[in-house]
Amino acid sequence: MIRHLWAVCSKADTLWINWVHTYVIKDQSVWQVKIPHEASWTIRKIFKLRANVQPWIKCVIGDGKATFLWFDNWHSLGPLYQRFGESVVFNLG
């Protein structure tokens, strides 16, 4: 299951990963998207592992187009929303 979560995070070029990003994640952060109630057992199981896996997955910023400033683990402090709180994310947009 962790391998599948890694494939989702790294946007592996497969049909299933493209489907997950198009119909489940929908241009949101993998770390913050809410699990749909109608999602399959597999999707729910994979997304429930996020809290355990997030500290181990680092994001390389590159051009920044695929990086979520507040939610991805790119900074030495870790995901910024965990450090500063979700109210800061909401207030700053």
Side-chain angles (χ1 to χ4, degrees), residues 11-12 24 27 44-45 75 85 92:
K11 293 187 179 179
V24 177
D27 294 325
R44 288 193 312 269
K45 186 74 170 177
H75 196 275
L92 295 175

Side-chain angles (χ1 to χ4, degrees), residues 31-32 54-55 57-58 68-85:
W31 309 111
Q32 289 301 112
Q54 188 176 23
I57 295 180
K58 299 288 183 186
F68 288 89
L69 173 71
W70 292 104
F71 303 113
D72 285 344
N73 191 9
W74 61 271
H75 196 275
S76 61
L77 296 175
L80 297 178
Y81 83 96
Q82 290 178 347
R83 180 71 174 199
F84 299 107

Side-chain angles (χ1 to χ4, degrees), residues 1-21 25 30-31 46-47 53 57:
M1 289 297 167
I2 291 173
R3 180 176 274 183
H4 291 302
L5 182 57
W6 169 253
V8 170
C9 292
S10 63
K11 293 187 179 179
D13 191 22
T14 67
L15 181 61
W16 185 75
I17 298 299
N18 290 335
W19 181 87
V20 169
H21 277 277
I25 297 175
V30 171
W31 309 111
I46 290 169
F47 277 71
V53 174
I57 295 180

